[in-house]
Amino acid sequence: MAAAGEKGGSRPGWRSLGVSVILLAALCHGSSVERKIYIPLNSTAPCVRLLNATHQIGCQSSRNGDTGVIHVVEKEEDLSWVLETGPTPPYVVLLEGNLFTKATLLKFKESSRISGIAVMYSKPSPPEGFSLDHSCPNDGFGLYTDDHGSQYSHCNGSLWNPLGSGMSYEDFQFPIFLLEDDNETEVIKQCYREHNIPVNDTAPKYPLCAMQLISPMHAVTSTVTCMRRNSIQMSFSINPAVCDSLAGYNVWSTVKPVNNSDTLPPEDQVVVSAARLDGRSFFWNLAPAAESTVSSLVTQLAAAEAIHKMPDSQSLPRNIMFAFFQGEVFDYIGSSRMVYDMEKGRFPIRLNNIHSFVELSQVALRNSSALWIHTDPISRNNDTVNTEVKQLIDVLKTSSKGTNVTLQDIDQSQALPPASFQRFLRVRNIPGVVLTDHRGEYRNKYYNSMYDTSTNINMDYPSGLSKEEALNYVTGAAQSLSEVATLLAKTLYRQAGGSDGAEIKADVNSVTRMLYGFLVMSNNSWFQSIIRSDWKGNLVNKPPQYYVTATSLGSKPSPNPPTSFLISVLANLTGQVVNYTKEQCQSPDKDAKRELYEYLWVQGPLDDNSTTRVPFCVRSTLRSHLAESPAFELNEWDSTEYSTWTESRWKEIRARIFLVPSHELEVITLVVGIVVLLASFTATYFINAKADILFTSAQDSGSVAY
């Protein structure tokens, strides 16, 4: 009996093992079942939630995502099906790019029949223009407010971006995704054509093609609310933060080295040249920013290279500073932080060190070679400032001789366009100008939109060029911007006290390579050779995107890809190669004058007939400067003085399509499943109750008999 008991006791163990194996196999098989049911969409850009001191903007889905039957909307007449007559709501609208307008989205917003929108990228770009920013960008955070220069506030007299619909600042309670891959868009359309097309305005038969958009956001209401929740949750270690501030790095450099651990004496004067470093569109991390950002950024880099090549650049009476401001799209984050740190004595250059200021803002779309000189009418009421502004304009006009740039004055009564210079003027009257390709309204029809690409600034390449040939092909845009860079270099050099007769010329080949790297493909041979090895992951076979990153409060942000490219290019164009080992370069000793220079260990070019690179060390005067709004340092989350923009956190963002059965079939499937489940429980109960009988073999019976 004892022997029989041991054998009988082993059978439940074997049954448990068998069940475990079956469950494991089912789990392993489950992922393949999911792949058979769902088709993931891997090339999408979501609209996410952003917040400021007073409200929230952007989009979100429900916690588990929003699902709806797909309906293609290619013309206005198609809207009635999803908004009124379609019998199978809710719908996910596959929207043609030319219908992606504020008027259309507001109709969707007011309807309970819409669960999400997938936007098709319009090719070519809408000829009438497309801008979802405000018609008066950065209104209220520049120089002109209701309390200062009220006659110019709210773009009174100069509506800079008349095409701006302001849709980027609307709040939508459903997800909106952009489809970036034409092949994926065609897959969705094919699924729609096979299953969803109405016949004679009657409901299509099941199964129907559906889409699920998943983009739940953690933050709600405003920056004040989300930052308060951050503080509570982090104090008690309950949950991670729900939102992060928009932040990154300004990049700046000087012609003559400046001690980064000290401040300049008041008698040391600096001429400032400025450009912005960021852009945005309606969708997260999609900001090509060709005209709005890259045109001025590249021009300023080329001017910096030209000045550094001058043999007397280190002996100029005045220094020259090149500043690239991050986060300017979001109410001047970078420039306001630099001004704040200058006022607090935490930046080596003080406001009273600034001799004059020249800013570039959208310079690639010049009409008949014209470049417009904008000045501030309020500061020019000061006779001293007005005289110095006139002198600066004279220097500009003198410097334009011999270039293909025609400078045009603007009436002194016209206000400045949106520019970083405005944040400096808020605290001190500084002689300065803003140079643009527009007199009044922007010539850029795609300001802060996904269509502000290289095509927008006429970067045209002949067909059949290899990547290396395209990298070095001089486009019309490169030629035009090199002329502006030459003008800027001459002006800055003369403002710094250089001689009028000096020959300065920007290198069109440098401009050519920069435009290709910043707008077409960052993963090119030049960028590969000048970037740090730990940044090489930023190099991709597509254009960089200039959206400022979100950073946890109290943590040190990492440079986003465009910033890493800017640092690499600026060091390459203005720095010097020094004979240091990798260890010496990354940890310079006292003799290296670390307070004066920054050192960069770069990958270097490929060795001849080899796949290995020859790295080297570059010494330059460039520096990174934290670009985070002072509002977060001051804990003034409801500030009207400084930017308060934050970005909500999220758990996952994805999109997928699948076939959905009819409700009747779903009910039948559920009922059958319940019946099978109950039958299984019943069978299992009786089998378990009679196990000794059912699982007793003849051999077992014989053993018991003996």
Side-chain angles (χ1 to χ4, degrees):
M1 292 294 290
E6 288 174 5
K7 290 183 180 180
S10 67
R11 292 188 192 103
W14 283 107
R15 289 201 299 271
S16 299
L17 179 60
V19 171
S20 299
V21 170
I22 292 171
L23 287 174
L24 182 60
L27 288 172
C28 294
H29 187 62
S31 60
S32 63
V33 171
E34 181 178 354
R35 287 196 296 270
K36 291 178 180 178
I37 296 174
Y38 297 102
I39 298 177
L41 304 175
N42 299 317
S43 298
T44 61
C47 163
V48 303
R49 171 162 291 166
L50 300 174
L51 311 99
N52 67 7
T54 56
H55 60 286
Q56 64 184 32
I57 65 172
C59 318
Q60 71 160 13
S61 74
S62 58
R63 182 181 296 272
N64 297 315
D66 292 316
T67 302
V69 174
I70 297 172
H71 191 80
V72 177
V73 174
E74 296 179 316
K75 53 186 184 297
E76 290 280 351
E77 293 76 15
D78 297 332
L79 292 173
S80 60
W81 181 268
V82 295
L83 294 174
E84 300 170 5
T85 61
T88 56
Y91 289 98
V92 169
V93 178
L94 184 61
L95 187 66
E96 188 67 45
N98 59 7
L99 292 177
F100 185 53
T101 63
K102 185 175 182 178
T104 303
L105 260 67
L106 290 182
K107 291 178 182 178
F108 293 153
K109 186 177 180 179
E110 295 167 359
S111 174
S112 60
R113 294 165 55 89
I114 306 299
S115 60
I117 302 171
V119 182
M120 293 181 276
Y121 196 96
S122 183
K123 294 180 180 179
S125 304
E128 68 279 7
F130 182 87
S131 176
L132 304 184
D133 206 313
H134 285 310
S135 57
C136 184
N138 288 4
D139 187 24
F141 286 86
L143 177 62
Y144 312 113
T145 65
D146 293 336
D147 299 324
H148 180 84
S150 58
Q151 67 272 35
Y152 306 111
S153 64
H154 313 302
C155 295
N156 184 26
S158 300
L159 196 62
W160 300 108
N161 187 34
L163 292 174
S165 66
M167 193 170 79
S168 289
Y169 295 88
E170 292 285 336
D171 182 42
F172 298 95
Q173 295 299 314
F174 50 76
I176 304 177
F177 281 54
L178 177 70
L179 303 174
E180 299 184 276
D181 189 320
D182 292 340
N183 294 327
E184 288 188 346
T185 302
E186 185 54 37
V187 169
I188 300 170
K189 285 185 173 182
Q190 183 64 29
C191 186
Y192 168 79
R193 287 192 290 264
E194 292 178 358
H195 298 279
N196 293 15
I197 292 182
V199 180
N200 298 324
D201 289 330
T202 60
K205 295 181 180 180
Y206 285 93
L208 298 176
C209 191
M211 183 182 295
Q212 184 181 33
L213 301 175
I214 304 171
S215 60
M217 299 287 126
H218 296 337
V220 295
T221 309
S222 67
T223 290
V224 176
T225 301
C226 83
M227 293 303 296
R228 186 171 62 245
R229 290 180 179 177
N230 280 0
S231 299
I232 295 172
Q233 294 184 178
M234 295 177 73
S235 297
F236 294 96
S237 300
I238 301 174
N239 287 307
V242 296
C243 68
D244 299 307
S245 64
L246 295 183
Y249 288 103
N250 299 322
V251 177
W252 64 281
S253 74
T254 52
V255 172
K256 295 186 287 186
V258 170
N259 190 332
N260 197 42
S261 61
D262 200 358
T263 56
L264 290 179
E267 62 271 15
D268 286 3
Q269 295 292 286
V270 179
V271 180
V272 176
S273 178
R276 84 181 201 189
L277 182 50
D278 67 308
R280 73 164 300 195
S281 74
F282 185 83
F283 299 100
W284 180 76
N285 202 29
L286 184 64
E291 160 73 335
S292 60
T293 298
V294 177
S295 65
S296 52
L297 180 151
V298 166
T299 302
Q300 183 161 279
L301 285 169
E305 178 190 30
I307 292 175
H308 273 269
K309 287 181 177 179
M310 295 299 294
D312 63 340
S313 62
Q314 297 302 305
S315 59
L316 292 172
R318 303 183 189 98
N319 208 342
I320 302 172
M321 171 182 168
F322 298 95
F324 302 86
F325 294 117
Q326 182 67 271
E328 295 302 273
V329 170
F330 294 98
D331 300 334
Y332 304 116
I333 293 174
S335 56
S336 63
R337 181 54 183 257
M338 184 172 285
V339 171
Y340 176 81
D341 286 346
M342 284 180 171
E343 288 185 292
K344 298 295 182 181
R346 301 190 306 205
F347 193 81
I349 297 171
R350 306 290 294 269
L351 288 167
N352 59 4
N353 293 122
I354 299 177
H355 170 268
S356 51
F357 202 107
V358 180
E359 181 169 356
L360 298 178
S361 177
Q362 304 189 73
V363 293
L365 298 178
R366 292 185 291 134
N367 185 22
S368 301
S369 74
L371 200 64
W372 297 89
I373 305 173
H374 300 261
T375 61
D376 169 45
I378 297 178
S379 61
R380 292 188 70 176
N381 288 330
N382 180 295
D383 291 339
T384 302
V385 172
N386 187 44
T387 299
E388 293 177 350
V389 169
K390 287 181 177 179
Q391 291 173 350
L392 174 55
I393 293 174
D394 288 340
V395 171
L396 277 162
K397 291 182 175 179
T398 301
S399 301
S400 68
K401 295 177 181 178
T403 67
N404 188 27
V405 180
T406 304
L407 287 172
Q408 300 283 353
D409 285 335
I410 294 176
D411 189 275
Q412 189 174 329
S413 62
Q414 180 173 307
L416 284 172
S420 306
F421 184 37
Q422 292 196 28
R423 292 299 304 193
F424 288 80
L425 288 172
R426 280 177 72 123
V427 296
R428 184 180 177 86
N429 285 337
I430 298 172
V433 299
V434 178
L435 302 178
T436 73
D437 56 20
H438 54 87
R439 177 176 184 172
E441 65 183 59
Y442 293 161
R443 291 181 56 78
N444 183 7
K445 298 189 296 182
Y446 307 107
Y447 179 76
N448 280 351
S449 85
M450 55 196 176
Y451 299 115
D452 189 10
T453 63
S454 59
T455 303
N456 184 34
I457 62 171
N458 305 314
M459 279 181 60
D460 302 317
Y461 294 91
S463 60
L465 293 183
S466 66
K467 292 180 181 179
E468 198 65 24
E469 290 170 337
L471 173 65
N472 295 288
Y473 180 80
V474 180
T475 62
Q479 189 65 54
S480 174
L481 291 179
S482 68
E483 296 284 349
V484 180
T486 297
L487 164 66
L488 178 63
K490 287 182 176 180
T491 301
L492 297 174
Y493 178 79
R494 288 166 180 166
Q495 277 292 101
S499 62
D500 291 344
E503 287 294 325
I504 306 176
K505 187 174 179 61
D507 187 349
V508 68
N509 295 313
S510 293
V511 176
T512 295
R513 292 188 295 173
M514 284 190 282
L515 285 176
Y516 184 85
F518 282 115
L519 287 177
V520 180
M521 185 184 297
S522 60
N523 190 22
N524 60 74
S525 60
W526 185 43
F527 274 24
Q528 290 168 3
S529 67
I530 64 175
I531 201 167
R532 279 172 29 177
S533 58
D534 56 327
W535 287 348
K536 65 182 179 181
N538 293 336
L539 299 172
V540 292
N541 293 324
K542 57 183 180 180
Q545 303 300 323
Y546 293 85
Y547 177 75
V548 60
T549 52
T551 304
S552 302
L553 287 177
S555 64
K556 188 177 181 180
S558 298
N560 64 1
T563 305
S564 69
F565 303 151
L566 170 62
I567 291 172
S568 302
V569 171
L570 184 57
N572 179 266
L573 297 181
T574 64
Q576 294 178 319
V577 176
V578 291
N579 188 24
Y580 282 4
T581 64
K582 182 177 181 179
E583 291 71 24
Q584 291 172 326
C585 189
Q586 294 178 339
S587 301
D589 55 26
K590 293 181 180 179
D591 294 335
K593 300 180 179 179
R594 184 75 187 205
E595 69 278 3
L596 297 179
Y597 299 103
E598 190 75 17
Y599 293 83
L600 209 65
W601 183 256
V602 302
Q603 290 194 129
L606 289 171
D607 201 359
D608 293 339
N609 301 318
S610 173
T611 58
T612 59
R613 295 189 174 275
V614 184
F616 57 89
C617 185
V618 178
R619 183 182 71 185
S620 71
T621 61
L622 77 82
R623 301 284 182 178
S624 299
H625 171 255
L626 179 65
E628 183 177 58
S629 172
F632 297 104
E633 178 177 312
L634 299 169
N635 289 333
E636 295 178 356
W637 306 323
D638 59 350
S639 173
T640 57
E641 170 73 12
Y642 298 111
S643 171
T644 55
W645 285 107
T646 54
E647 179 186 274
S648 174
R649 288 192 179 186
W650 57 81
K651 184 178 181 180
E652 63 173 339
I653 290 180
R654 58 194 175 104
R656 57 189 183 178
I657 63 173
F658 59 97
L659 293 180
V660 60
S662 66
H663 296 300
E664 292 80 5
L665 181 57
E666 288 178 331
V667 171
I668 293 172
T669 304
L670 176 62
V671 171
V672 171
I674 293 173
V675 170
V676 171
L677 178 64
L678 293 175
S680 300
F681 282 150
T682 303
T684 302
Y685 172 77
F686 282 108
I687 291 171
N688 188 58
K690 304 296 183 180
D692 290 340
I693 298 173
L694 295 173
F695 296 104
T696 300
S697 64
Q699 182 180 357
D700 292 337
S701 299
S703 299
V704 173
Y706 283 113

